[in-house]
Amino acid sequence: MPPPSPSPPSARAARSRAASKLPLTATTFLSLSILLLPLGFLATHKAFSAATAGHHHRERVLLQVQDQDGVSAPNANGNANQDEHAAAVERHCAGTLHRAVCVSTVSAIPGLAQKPVWDVISMVVSRAAAAVRASASNCSSYLARPHGLRVRDRLALADCVELLGHTLSQLATAAAELESRAADEEDDDDAVAAVQTVLSAALTNQYTCLDGFDGPSASEDGRVRPYIQGRIYHVAHLVSNSLAMLRRLPRRRNRKQGPRRSTLEGYDDDDGRVLRRRRGFPSWVSPGDRRRMLQQGAPVGADLVVAKDGSGNFSTVGEAVAAAPNNSVARFVIYIKAGGYFENVEVGSEKTNLMFVGDGMWRTVIKASRNVVDNSTTFRSATLAVVGTGFLARDLTVENAAGPGKHQAVALRVNADLSAFYRCSFAGYQDTLYAHSLRQFYRDCDVYGTVDFVFGDAAAVLQGCSLYARRPDPGQKNAVTAQGREDPNQNTGIVVQGGKVAAAADLAPVQANFSTFLGRPWKQYSRTVFVQTKMESLVHPRGWLEWNGTFALDTLYYAEYMNRGPGANTSARVAWPGYHVLTNATDADNFTVLNFVQGDLWLNATPFPYALGFS
């Protein structure tokens, strides 16, 4: 990994986004991963029983009828069937980013011309699942080797195995949703968004796996990545094609949505209005959970209590998480009393509907210091890592104390769907808040950092949050965001609505010595929007920073709308093709409708950030 400063063009050109643990922990994790992986595969086998083996790429589609011996036989309708089949292949592969893979995949589907789009996408997803199993087996075979792997490579491979396991689960979810919707003549937006969300996450997982082999302490001799990346890319290309096909599905407006509604489904008040109250929450947060989120002080009837002084059920957060039930359909509340908890905590995918409640920001603190310089991967460096669906947290602080010289060091990493955080603070330097994937909501939270301190490829909204730039190392530049969308059909991005961008206490006295930018494009289709946000004078007049030369400047989507403050003046902003100053509600409505109609629903489960205040 290049130096941690985002000084172009050499700044972090190769960035690690995978994960690691300390060696002893890694050994345990790897063993469990290898043992559990076949179980995950068996659990999802039924959903993908229709998966077929790969075929050679071909641009010309031919259809032959074979007799019982497998010999081509005359077909009275051969020419017509061939033309019909070829036309269907062209139709389904139009607009895909990986055409050769698409043609090879869909041309093998019998009766393609008669199949609805839902069925075709389902079959491509099945093929992707088969490719995931092959890729996971390949990675596991390298992990099983007793010698020849460096620690960092072994940790990165372990991340790949975990991420491929998540991918199988996400593809199974997509397959089930596709199957349930296949009989519908029209497809409502919630159904499309549900599939698009999990496929977007599945795609992100592949690139996170590969990112783990980059950066400081990674192998420079290419002894592992070249031997796994071909299969990983094949999975990514299959999922990318599925996302492209999904965009062409017919739509009907959800009954709750009016003809001029300026928001997307998922983050409305119960009566369907756009969120206007300061204390509004997404509609998927139940009334009971809303009361829990808004409650002050200790929760009533917490299921478990964590206390440093021994007055609770456990003295560490990790012990309480381990004791929580698996796959819970009811909310399970862990109350964490005031104190400093020096540990790395992981909320696994089996720990669903968990909630952390603390005694307040900077009173309840979960703190650790993993980082890439000391041989972690970015993915595994998180002080708190959350995967379990439906996770909620309020009134606590999560900190990575590695310091600015340790490069990537994550405080909070979230790849849990339908997760929400209220009155929490996240403190670090580089890569503080890793909004990795799926749908996330942050309300009235504080985030502290220097380089790319809000990053990832989730559909994430930070509403009413304060983003504080800290003093970086000499020669560094601050970048608030680094969004990681790899594909234009992913429904992902970072939206900052309300709140403020300001200097932290350590930066304010020396603010003139450092430049602070709103963001830079980590990946090719990076997407970030600032709406109705107060921008203090620390924001550089150009607003945005290049990643490396002209990379992604014409494919990113960066926008500002109705911001205020001394740093919000857009007259000297960058002149990139992908940068937009939205000046009126019509422009914003066109953007919303465009993405809504075309299936790019990255804000489907969030409040549309510039809906408020429209006349």
Side-chain angles (χ1 to χ4, degrees), residues 59 92-103 203 207 236-245 247-248 485-490 524-525 555:
E59 295 290 327
H92 287 297
C93 292
T96 57
L97 299 185
H98 310 284
R99 175 178 165 76
V101 174
C102 180
V103 171
L203 183 59
Y207 293 102
H237 294 168
L238 287 167
V239 176
S240 172
N241 288 341
S242 300
L243 283 165
M245 294 178 186
R247 290 187 64 160
R248 298 195 302 276
R485 192 169 62 141
E486 290 273 6
D487 190 290
N489 299 308
Q490 287 180 292
Q524 187 165 2
Y525 296 94
T555 53

PDB file of all heavy atoms in Angstrom, residues 59 92-103 203 207 236-245 247-248 485-490 524-525 555:
ATOM      1  N   GLU A  59     -19.897 -15.826 -28.986  1.00  0.00           N
ATOM      2  CA  GLU A  59     -20.702 -14.694 -29.403  1.00  0.00           C
ATOM      3  C   GLU A  59     -21.812 -15.137 -30.349  1.00  0.00           C
ATOM      4  O   GLU A  59     -22.857 -14.510 -30.426  1.00  0.00           O
ATOM      5  CB  GLU A  59     -19.812 -13.651 -30.086  1.00  0.00           C
ATOM      6  CG  GLU A  59     -18.785 -13.013 -29.178  1.00  0.00           C
ATOM      7  CD  GLU A  59     -19.435 -12.097 -28.172  1.00  0.00           C
ATOM      8  OE1 GLU A  59     -20.450 -11.475 -28.506  1.00  0.00           O
ATOM      9  OE2 GLU A  59     -18.949 -12.021 -27.030  1.00  0.00           O
ATOM     10  N   HIS A  92     -31.239 -10.379 -23.662  1.00  0.00           N
ATOM     11  CA  HIS A  92     -30.881 -10.486 -22.242  1.00  0.00           C
ATOM     12  C   HIS A  92     -29.487  -9.944 -21.953  1.00  0.00           C
ATOM     13  O   HIS A  92     -29.236  -9.464 -20.844  1.00  0.00           O
ATOM     14  CB  HIS A  92     -30.972 -11.947 -21.792  1.00  0.00           C
ATOM     15  CG  HIS A  92     -32.378 -12.455 -21.659  1.00  0.00           C
ATOM     16  ND1 HIS A  92     -33.269 -11.935 -20.759  1.00  0.00           N
ATOM     17  CD2 HIS A  92     -33.039 -13.435 -22.335  1.00  0.00           C
ATOM     18  CE1 HIS A  92     -34.434 -12.572 -20.865  1.00  0.00           C
ATOM     19  NE2 HIS A  92     -34.313 -13.481 -21.811  1.00  0.00           N
ATOM     20  N   CYS A  93     -28.582 -10.001 -22.912  1.00  0.00           N
ATOM     21  CA  CYS A  93     -27.211  -9.562 -22.680  1.00  0.00           C
ATOM     22  C   CYS A  93     -26.990  -8.098 -23.032  1.00  0.00           C
ATOM     23  O   CYS A  93     -25.891  -7.572 -22.783  1.00  0.00           O
ATOM     24  CB  CYS A  93     -26.230 -10.436 -23.459  1.00  0.00           C
ATOM     25  SG  CYS A  93     -26.141 -12.140 -22.837  1.00  0.00           S
ATOM     26  N   ALA A  94     -27.988  -7.446 -23.595  1.00  0.00           N
ATOM     27  CA  ALA A  94     -27.838  -6.033 -23.938  1.00  0.00           C
ATOM     28  C   ALA A  94     -27.587  -5.211 -22.672  1.00  0.00           C
ATOM     29  O   ALA A  94     -28.317  -5.322 -21.690  1.00  0.00           O
ATOM     30  CB  ALA A  94     -29.086  -5.528 -24.655  1.00  0.00           C
ATOM     31  N   GLY A  95     -26.549  -4.415 -22.689  1.00  0.00           N
ATOM     32  CA  GLY A  95     -26.258  -3.546 -21.555  1.00  0.00           C
ATOM     33  C   GLY A  95     -25.454  -4.179 -20.449  1.00  0.00           C
ATOM     34  O   GLY A  95     -25.110  -3.496 -19.472  1.00  0.00           O
ATOM     35  N   THR A  96     -25.126  -5.460 -20.538  1.00  0.00           N
ATOM     36  CA  THR A  96     -24.289  -6.075 -19.512  1.00  0.00           C
ATOM     37  C   THR A  96     -22.845  -5.627 -19.701  1.00  0.00           C
ATOM     38  O   THR A  96     -22.392  -5.368 -20.821  1.00  0.00           O
ATOM     39  CB  THR A  96     -24.356  -7.610 -19.578  1.00  0.00           C
ATOM     40  OG1 THR A  96     -23.979  -8.052 -20.883  1.00  0.00           O
ATOM     41  CG2 THR A  96     -25.767  -8.099 -19.273  1.00  0.00           C
ATOM     42  N   LEU A  97     -22.117  -5.549 -18.624  1.00  0.00           N
ATOM     43  CA  LEU A  97     -20.722  -5.111 -18.694  1.00  0.00           C
ATOM     44  C   LEU A  97     -19.782  -6.225 -19.123  1.00  0.00           C
ATOM     45  O   LEU A  97     -18.660  -5.957 -19.563  1.00  0.00           O
ATOM     46  CB  LEU A  97     -20.275  -4.570 -17.337  1.00  0.00           C
ATOM     47  CG  LEU A  97     -21.037  -3.359 -16.783  1.00  0.00           C
ATOM     48  CD1 LEU A  97     -20.397  -2.880 -15.483  1.00  0.00           C
ATOM     49  CD2 LEU A  97     -21.086  -2.229 -17.796  1.00  0.00           C
ATOM     50  N   HIS A  98     -20.223  -7.462 -19.010  1.00  0.00           N
ATOM     51  CA  HIS A  98     -19.369  -8.610 -19.306  1.00  0.00           C
ATOM     52  C   HIS A  98     -20.112  -9.505 -20.303  1.00  0.00           C
ATOM     53  O   HIS A  98     -20.643 -10.562 -19.953  1.00  0.00           O
ATOM     54  CB  HIS A  98     -19.012  -9.350 -18.021  1.00  0.00           C
ATOM     55  CG  HIS A  98     -18.497  -8.444 -16.943  1.00  0.00           C
ATOM     56  ND1 HIS A  98     -17.215  -7.917 -16.961  1.00  0.00           N
ATOM     57  CD2 HIS A  98     -19.106  -7.908 -15.849  1.00  0.00           C
ATOM     58  CE1 HIS A  98     -17.052  -7.131 -15.917  1.00  0.00           C
ATOM     59  NE2 HIS A  98     -18.177  -7.110 -15.228  1.00  0.00           N
ATOM     60  N   ARG A  99     -20.128  -9.049 -21.536  1.00  0.00           N
ATOM     61  CA  ARG A  99     -20.971  -9.660 -22.558  1.00  0.00           C
ATOM     62  C   ARG A  99     -20.591 -11.108 -22.855  1.00  0.00           C
ATOM     63  O   ARG A  99     -21.471 -11.968 -22.979  1.00  0.00           O
ATOM     64  CB  ARG A  99     -20.898  -8.828 -23.840  1.00  0.00           C
ATOM     65  CG  ARG A  99     -21.642  -9.460 -24.998  1.00  0.00           C
ATOM     66  CD  ARG A  99     -21.609  -8.625 -26.256  1.00  0.00           C
ATOM     67  NE  ARG A  99     -22.016  -9.431 -27.399  1.00  0.00           N
ATOM     68  CZ  ARG A  99     -23.275  -9.770 -27.648  1.00  0.00           C
ATOM     69  NH1 ARG A  99     -24.231  -9.328 -26.849  1.00  0.00           N
ATOM     70  NH2 ARG A  99     -23.584 -10.516 -28.677  1.00  0.00           N
ATOM     71  N   ALA A 100     -19.314 -11.391 -22.980  1.00  0.00           N
ATOM     72  CA  ALA A 100     -18.905 -12.755 -23.307  1.00  0.00           C
ATOM     73  C   ALA A 100     -19.390 -13.738 -22.247  1.00  0.00           C
ATOM     74  O   ALA A 100     -19.865 -14.832 -22.564  1.00  0.00           O
ATOM     75  CB  ALA A 100     -17.390 -12.829 -23.463  1.00  0.00           C
ATOM     76  N   VAL A 101     -19.265 -13.358 -20.980  1.00  0.00           N
ATOM     77  CA  VAL A 101     -19.750 -14.216 -19.901  1.00  0.00           C
ATOM     78  C   VAL A 101     -21.264 -14.369 -19.987  1.00  0.00           C
ATOM     79  O   VAL A 101     -21.812 -15.459 -19.789  1.00  0.00           O
ATOM     80  CB  VAL A 101     -19.330 -13.639 -18.530  1.00  0.00           C
ATOM     81  CG1 VAL A 101     -19.954 -14.439 -17.383  1.00  0.00           C
ATOM     82  CG2 VAL A 101     -17.819 -13.632 -18.400  1.00  0.00           C
ATOM     83  N   CYS A 102     -21.962 -13.284 -20.287  1.00  0.00           N
ATOM     84  CA  CYS A 102     -23.415 -13.338 -20.391  1.00  0.00           C
ATOM     85  C   CYS A 102     -23.856 -14.269 -21.511  1.00  0.00           C
ATOM     86  O   CYS A 102     -24.735 -15.118 -21.333  1.00  0.00           O
ATOM     87  CB  CYS A 102     -23.972 -11.926 -20.616  1.00  0.00           C
ATOM     88  SG  CYS A 102     -25.768 -11.879 -20.756  1.00  0.00           S
ATOM     89  N   VAL A 103     -23.249 -14.113 -22.688  1.00  0.00           N
ATOM     90  CA  VAL A 103     -23.615 -14.955 -23.831  1.00  0.00           C
ATOM     91  C   VAL A 103     -23.370 -16.419 -23.511  1.00  0.00           C
ATOM     92  O   VAL A 103     -24.209 -17.290 -23.784  1.00  0.00           O
ATOM     93  CB  VAL A 103     -22.839 -14.527 -25.091  1.00  0.00           C
ATOM     94  CG1 VAL A 103     -23.036 -15.538 -26.216  1.00  0.00           C
ATOM     95  CG2 VAL A 103     -23.285 -13.146 -25.542  1.00  0.00           C
ATOM     96  N   LEU A 203     -21.645  -8.712  -4.973  1.00  0.00           N
ATOM     97  CA  LEU A 203     -20.588  -8.187  -5.836  1.00  0.00           C
ATOM     98  C   LEU A 203     -19.491  -7.518  -5.020  1.00  0.00           C
ATOM     99  O   LEU A 203     -18.286  -7.725  -5.257  1.00  0.00           O
ATOM    100  CB  LEU A 203     -21.191  -7.202  -6.834  1.00  0.00           C
ATOM    101  CG  LEU A 203     -20.246  -6.594  -7.871  1.00  0.00           C
ATOM    102  CD1 LEU A 203     -19.602  -7.680  -8.725  1.00  0.00           C
ATOM    103  CD2 LEU A 203     -20.999  -5.610  -8.757  1.00  0.00           C
ATOM    104  N   TYR A 207     -14.758  -8.085  -4.484  1.00  0.00           N
ATOM    105  CA  TYR A 207     -13.670  -7.111  -4.540  1.00  0.00           C
ATOM    106  C   TYR A 207     -13.044  -6.886  -3.164  1.00  0.00           C
ATOM    107  O   TYR A 207     -11.845  -6.596  -3.057  1.00  0.00           O
ATOM    108  CB  TYR A 207     -14.171  -5.811  -5.152  1.00  0.00           C
ATOM    109  CG  TYR A 207     -14.537  -5.988  -6.609  1.00  0.00           C
ATOM    110  CD1 TYR A 207     -15.868  -6.102  -7.011  1.00  0.00           C
ATOM    111  CD2 TYR A 207     -13.547  -6.088  -7.578  1.00  0.00           C
ATOM    112  CE1 TYR A 207     -16.192  -6.291  -8.342  1.00  0.00           C
ATOM    113  CE2 TYR A 207     -13.861  -6.275  -8.917  1.00  0.00           C
ATOM    114  CZ  TYR A 207     -15.193  -6.383  -9.294  1.00  0.00           C
ATOM    115  OH  TYR A 207     -15.501  -6.583 -10.605  1.00  0.00           O
ATOM    116  N   ALA A 236     -17.831 -12.291  -9.827  1.00  0.00           N
ATOM    117  CA  ALA A 236     -18.211 -10.879  -9.902  1.00  0.00           C
ATOM    118  C   ALA A 236     -18.885 -10.556 -11.227  1.00  0.00           C
ATOM    119  O   ALA A 236     -19.872  -9.807 -11.276  1.00  0.00           O
ATOM    120  CB  ALA A 236     -16.978 -10.003  -9.703  1.00  0.00           C
ATOM    121  N   HIS A 237     -18.403 -11.127 -12.319  1.00  0.00           N
ATOM    122  CA  HIS A 237     -18.983 -10.834 -13.637  1.00  0.00           C
ATOM    123  C   HIS A 237     -20.379 -11.430 -13.776  1.00  0.00           C
ATOM    124  O   HIS A 237     -21.277 -10.814 -14.378  1.00  0.00           O
ATOM    125  CB  HIS A 237     -18.053 -11.364 -14.722  1.00  0.00           C
ATOM    126  CG  HIS A 237     -16.734 -10.658 -14.767  1.00  0.00           C
ATOM    127  ND1 HIS A 237     -15.655 -11.115 -15.503  1.00  0.00           N
ATOM    128  CD2 HIS A 237     -16.301  -9.522 -14.139  1.00  0.00           C
ATOM    129  CE1 HIS A 237     -14.635 -10.286 -15.344  1.00  0.00           C
ATOM    130  NE2 HIS A 237     -15.001  -9.328 -14.517  1.00  0.00           N
ATOM    131  N   LEU A 238     -20.582 -12.621 -13.229  1.00  0.00           N
ATOM    132  CA  LEU A 238     -21.926 -13.213 -13.251  1.00  0.00           C
ATOM    133  C   LEU A 238     -22.913 -12.367 -12.449  1.00  0.00           C
ATOM    134  O   LEU A 238     -24.050 -12.129 -12.880  1.00  0.00           O
ATOM    135  CB  LEU A 238     -21.881 -14.637 -12.706  1.00  0.00           C
ATOM    136  CG  LEU A 238     -21.238 -15.696 -13.613  1.00  0.00           C
ATOM    137  CD1 LEU A 238     -20.970 -16.977 -12.827  1.00  0.00           C
ATOM    138  CD2 LEU A 238     -22.122 -15.993 -14.817  1.00  0.00           C
ATOM    139  N   VAL A 239     -22.489 -11.915 -11.274  1.00  0.00           N
ATOM    140  CA  VAL A 239     -23.380 -11.089 -10.446  1.00  0.00           C
ATOM    141  C   VAL A 239     -23.625  -9.742 -11.116  1.00  0.00           C
ATOM    142  O   VAL A 239     -24.753  -9.227 -11.115  1.00  0.00           O
ATOM    143  CB  VAL A 239     -22.784 -10.910  -9.040  1.00  0.00           C
ATOM    144  CG1 VAL A 239     -23.655  -9.968  -8.205  1.00  0.00           C
ATOM    145  CG2 VAL A 239     -22.658 -12.259  -8.333  1.00  0.00           C
ATOM    146  N   SER A 240     -22.599  -9.166 -11.693  1.00  0.00           N
ATOM    147  CA  SER A 240     -22.762  -7.896 -12.414  1.00  0.00           C
ATOM    148  C   SER A 240     -23.780  -8.033 -13.536  1.00  0.00           C
ATOM    149  O   SER A 240     -24.645  -7.158 -13.719  1.00  0.00           O
ATOM    150  CB  SER A 240     -21.413  -7.447 -12.978  1.00  0.00           C
ATOM    151  OG  SER A 240     -21.568  -6.333 -13.839  1.00  0.00           O
ATOM    152  N   ASN A 241     -23.707  -9.116 -14.290  1.00  0.00           N
ATOM    153  CA  ASN A 241     -24.682  -9.320 -15.361  1.00  0.00           C
ATOM    154  C   ASN A 241     -26.094  -9.483 -14.823  1.00  0.00           C
ATOM    155  O   ASN A 241     -27.063  -9.012 -15.431  1.00  0.00           O
ATOM    156  CB  ASN A 241     -24.289 -10.544 -16.196  1.00  0.00           C
ATOM    157  CG  ASN A 241     -23.063 -10.286 -17.059  1.00  0.00           C
ATOM    158  OD1 ASN A 241     -22.706  -9.139 -17.317  1.00  0.00           O
ATOM    159  ND2 ASN A 241     -22.416 -11.350 -17.505  1.00  0.00           N
ATOM    160  N   SER A 242     -26.227 -10.140 -13.687  1.00  0.00           N
ATOM    161  CA  SER A 242     -27.547 -10.277 -13.063  1.00  0.00           C
ATOM    162  C   SER A 242     -28.110  -8.903 -12.702  1.00  0.00           C
ATOM    163  O   SER A 242     -29.303  -8.637 -12.908  1.00  0.00           O
ATOM    164  CB  SER A 242     -27.447 -11.141 -11.805  1.00  0.00           C
ATOM    165  OG  SER A 242     -26.959 -12.435 -12.092  1.00  0.00           O
ATOM    166  N   LEU A 243     -27.267  -8.036 -12.175  1.00  0.00           N
ATOM    167  CA  LEU A 243     -27.715  -6.681 -11.832  1.00  0.00           C
ATOM    168  C   LEU A 243     -28.133  -5.902 -13.067  1.00  0.00           C
ATOM    169  O   LEU A 243     -29.122  -5.160 -13.039  1.00  0.00           O
ATOM    170  CB  LEU A 243     -26.584  -5.939 -11.108  1.00  0.00           C
ATOM    171  CG  LEU A 243     -26.358  -6.308  -9.643  1.00  0.00           C
ATOM    172  CD1 LEU A 243     -25.009  -5.795  -9.158  1.00  0.00           C
ATOM    173  CD2 LEU A 243     -27.477  -5.756  -8.772  1.00  0.00           C
ATOM    174  N   ALA A 244     -27.402  -6.062 -14.161  1.00  0.00           N
ATOM    175  CA  ALA A 244     -27.759  -5.358 -15.388  1.00  0.00           C
ATOM    176  C   ALA A 244     -29.107  -5.839 -15.926  1.00  0.00           C
ATOM    177  O   ALA A 244     -29.930  -5.032 -16.392  1.00  0.00           O
ATOM    178  CB  ALA A 244     -26.671  -5.559 -16.436  1.00  0.00           C
ATOM    179  N   MET A 245     -29.349  -7.129 -15.861  1.00  0.00           N
ATOM    180  CA  MET A 245     -30.636  -7.667 -16.311  1.00  0.00           C
ATOM    181  C   MET A 245     -31.769  -7.170 -15.434  1.00  0.00           C
ATOM    182  O   MET A 245     -32.878  -6.913 -15.901  1.00  0.00           O
ATOM    183  CB  MET A 245     -30.596  -9.206 -16.299  1.00  0.00           C
ATOM    184  CG  MET A 245     -29.649  -9.818 -17.295  1.00  0.00           C
ATOM    185  SD  MET A 245     -29.634 -11.629 -17.144  1.00  0.00           S
ATOM    186  CE  MET A 245     -28.312 -12.033 -18.282  1.00  0.00           C
ATOM    187  N   ARG A 247     -32.203  -4.383 -14.103  1.00  0.00           N
ATOM    188  CA  ARG A 247     -32.607  -3.008 -14.406  1.00  0.00           C
ATOM    189  C   ARG A 247     -33.726  -2.942 -15.431  1.00  0.00           C
ATOM    190  O   ARG A 247     -34.452  -1.948 -15.490  1.00  0.00           O
ATOM    191  CB  ARG A 247     -31.413  -2.212 -14.935  1.00  0.00           C
ATOM    192  CG  ARG A 247     -30.365  -1.914 -13.913  1.00  0.00           C
ATOM    193  CD  ARG A 247     -29.296  -0.990 -14.466  1.00  0.00           C
ATOM    194  NE  ARG A 247     -29.850   0.315 -14.796  1.00  0.00           N
ATOM    195  CZ  ARG A 247     -29.118   1.415 -14.926  1.00  0.00           C
ATOM    196  NH1 ARG A 247     -27.814   1.349 -14.763  1.00  0.00           N
ATOM    197  NH2 ARG A 247     -29.670   2.560 -15.226  1.00  0.00           N
ATOM    198  N   ARG A 248     -33.858  -3.972 -16.260  1.00  0.00           N
ATOM    199  CA  ARG A 248     -34.819  -3.912 -17.356  1.00  0.00           C
ATOM    200  C   ARG A 248     -36.180  -4.481 -16.988  1.00  0.00           C
ATOM    201  O   ARG A 248     -37.059  -4.585 -17.856  1.00  0.00           O
ATOM    202  CB  ARG A 248     -34.255  -4.652 -18.570  1.00  0.00           C
ATOM    203  CG  ARG A 248     -32.981  -4.037 -19.110  1.00  0.00           C
ATOM    204  CD  ARG A 248     -32.669  -4.555 -20.502  1.00  0.00           C
ATOM    205  NE  ARG A 248     -32.526  -6.004 -20.532  1.00  0.00           N
ATOM    206  CZ  ARG A 248     -31.395  -6.639 -20.224  1.00  0.00           C
ATOM    207  NH1 ARG A 248     -30.330  -5.958 -19.849  1.00  0.00           N
ATOM    208  NH2 ARG A 248     -31.335  -7.953 -20.287  1.00  0.00           N
ATOM    209  N   ARG A 485     -18.339   2.035  -4.949  1.00  0.00           N
ATOM    210  CA  ARG A 485     -19.213   1.320  -5.900  1.00  0.00           C
ATOM    211  C   ARG A 485     -18.401   0.856  -7.108  1.00  0.00           C
ATOM    212  O   ARG A 485     -17.782   1.646  -7.806  1.00  0.00           O
ATOM    213  CB  ARG A 485     -20.372   2.226  -6.333  1.00  0.00           C
ATOM    214  CG  ARG A 485     -21.475   1.494  -7.076  1.00  0.00           C
ATOM    215  CD  ARG A 485     -22.708   2.357  -7.261  1.00  0.00           C
ATOM    216  NE  ARG A 485     -22.435   3.541  -8.066  1.00  0.00           N
ATOM    217  CZ  ARG A 485     -23.262   4.039  -8.982  1.00  0.00           C
ATOM    218  NH1 ARG A 485     -24.429   3.447  -9.200  1.00  0.00           N
ATOM    219  NH2 ARG A 485     -22.957   5.119  -9.657  1.00  0.00           N
ATOM    220  N   GLU A 486     -18.439  -0.432  -7.379  1.00  0.00           N
ATOM    221  CA  GLU A 486     -17.680  -1.027  -8.477  1.00  0.00           C
ATOM    222  C   GLU A 486     -18.471  -1.105  -9.775  1.00  0.00           C
ATOM    223  O   GLU A 486     -17.878  -1.235 -10.851  1.00  0.00           O
ATOM    224  CB  GLU A 486     -17.247  -2.454  -8.097  1.00  0.00           C
ATOM    225  CG  GLU A 486     -16.193  -2.537  -7.022  1.00  0.00           C
ATOM    226  CD  GLU A 486     -14.777  -2.446  -7.581  1.00  0.00           C
ATOM    227  OE1 GLU A 486     -14.643  -2.208  -8.790  1.00  0.00           O
ATOM    228  OE2 GLU A 486     -13.831  -2.613  -6.797  1.00  0.00           O
ATOM    229  N   ASP A 487     -19.783  -1.052  -9.703  1.00  0.00           N
ATOM    230  CA  ASP A 487     -20.637  -1.351 -10.849  1.00  0.00           C
ATOM    231  C   ASP A 487     -21.753  -0.316 -10.914  1.00  0.00           C
ATOM    232  O   ASP A 487     -22.346   0.032  -9.886  1.00  0.00           O
ATOM    233  CB  ASP A 487     -21.231  -2.761 -10.677  1.00  0.00           C
ATOM    234  CG  ASP A 487     -21.926  -3.271 -11.908  1.00  0.00           C
ATOM    235  OD1 ASP A 487     -23.011  -2.734 -12.246  1.00  0.00           O
ATOM    236  OD2 ASP A 487     -21.409  -4.210 -12.543  1.00  0.00           O
ATOM    237  N   PRO A 488     -22.079   0.193 -12.104  1.00  0.00           N
ATOM    238  CA  PRO A 488     -23.116   1.224 -12.190  1.00  0.00           C
ATOM    239  C   PRO A 488     -24.506   0.726 -11.843  1.00  0.00           C
ATOM    240  O   PRO A 488     -25.408   1.535 -11.606  1.00  0.00           O
ATOM    241  CB  PRO A 488     -23.050   1.663 -13.661  1.00  0.00           C
ATOM    242  CG  PRO A 488     -22.498   0.476 -14.387  1.00  0.00           C
ATOM    243  CD  PRO A 488     -21.508  -0.139 -13.438  1.00  0.00           C
ATOM    244  N   ASN A 489     -24.707  -0.589 -11.783  1.00  0.00           N
ATOM    245  CA  ASN A 489     -26.021  -1.136 -11.477  1.00  0.00           C
ATOM    246  C   ASN A 489     -26.203  -1.486 -10.004  1.00  0.00           C
ATOM    247  O   ASN A 489     -27.265  -1.962  -9.603  1.00  0.00           O
ATOM    248  CB  ASN A 489     -26.275  -2.375 -12.339  1.00  0.00           C
ATOM    249  CG  ASN A 489     -26.260  -2.039 -13.808  1.00  0.00           C
ATOM    250  OD1 ASN A 489     -26.941  -1.128 -14.250  1.00  0.00           O
ATOM    251  ND2 ASN A 489     -25.463  -2.767 -14.583  1.00  0.00           N
ATOM    252  N   GLN A 490     -25.188  -1.256  -9.186  1.00  0.00           N
ATOM    253  CA  GLN A 490     -25.352  -1.455  -7.745  1.00  0.00           C
ATOM    254  C   GLN A 490     -26.175  -0.307  -7.162  1.00  0.00           C
ATOM    255  O   GLN A 490     -26.042   0.847  -7.586  1.00  0.00           O
ATOM    256  CB  GLN A 490     -23.992  -1.496  -7.055  1.00  0.00           C
ATOM    257  CG  GLN A 490     -23.189  -2.758  -7.305  1.00  0.00           C
ATOM    258  CD  GLN A 490     -21.857  -2.721  -6.590  1.00  0.00           C
ATOM    259  OE1 GLN A 490     -20.977  -1.940  -6.931  1.00  0.00           O
ATOM    260  NE2 GLN A 490     -21.708  -3.580  -5.583  1.00  0.00           N
ATOM    261  N   GLN A 524     -14.556   2.827  -9.299  1.00  0.00           N
ATOM    262  CA  GLN A 524     -14.839   3.500 -10.564  1.00  0.00           C
ATOM    263  C   GLN A 524     -16.181   4.212 -10.597  1.00  0.00           C
ATOM    264  O   GLN A 524     -16.315   5.253 -11.231  1.00  0.00           O
ATOM    265  CB  GLN A 524     -14.766   2.495 -11.716  1.00  0.00           C
ATOM    266  CG  GLN A 524     -14.884   3.148 -13.082  1.00  0.00           C
ATOM    267  CD  GLN A 524     -14.462   2.225 -14.209  1.00  0.00           C
ATOM    268  OE1 GLN A 524     -14.105   1.071 -13.972  1.00  0.00           O
ATOM    269  NE2 GLN A 524     -14.498   2.718 -15.423  1.00  0.00           N
ATOM    270  N   TYR A 525     -17.194   3.670  -9.938  1.00  0.00           N
ATOM    271  CA  TYR A 525     -18.529   4.275  -9.977  1.00  0.00           C
ATOM    272  C   TYR A 525     -18.910   4.868  -8.616  1.00  0.00           C
ATOM    273  O   TYR A 525     -20.080   4.864  -8.224  1.00  0.00           O
ATOM    274  CB  TYR A 525     -19.561   3.241 -10.436  1.00  0.00           C
ATOM    275  CG  TYR A 525     -19.324   2.778 -11.860  1.00  0.00           C
ATOM    276  CD1 TYR A 525     -18.574   1.639 -12.126  1.00  0.00           C
ATOM    277  CD2 TYR A 525     -19.822   3.509 -12.935  1.00  0.00           C
ATOM    278  CE1 TYR A 525     -18.338   1.224 -13.435  1.00  0.00           C
ATOM    279  CE2 TYR A 525     -19.596   3.106 -14.242  1.00  0.00           C
ATOM    280  CZ  TYR A 525     -18.850   1.963 -14.481  1.00  0.00           C
ATOM    281  OH  TYR A 525     -18.615   1.562 -15.779  1.00  0.00           O
ATOM    282  N   THR A 555     -16.975   8.641 -14.447  1.00  0.00           N
ATOM    283  CA  THR A 555     -17.939   7.595 -14.103  1.00  0.00           C
ATOM    284  C   THR A 555     -18.506   7.735 -12.692  1.00  0.00           C
ATOM    285  O   THR A 555     -19.518   7.116 -12.376  1.00  0.00           O
ATOM    286  CB  THR A 555     -17.294   6.201 -14.240  1.00  0.00           C
ATOM    287  OG1 THR A 555     -16.083   6.166 -13.480  1.00  0.00           O
ATOM    288  CG2 THR A 555     -16.988   5.878 -15.690  1.00  0.00           C
TER     289      THR A 555
END
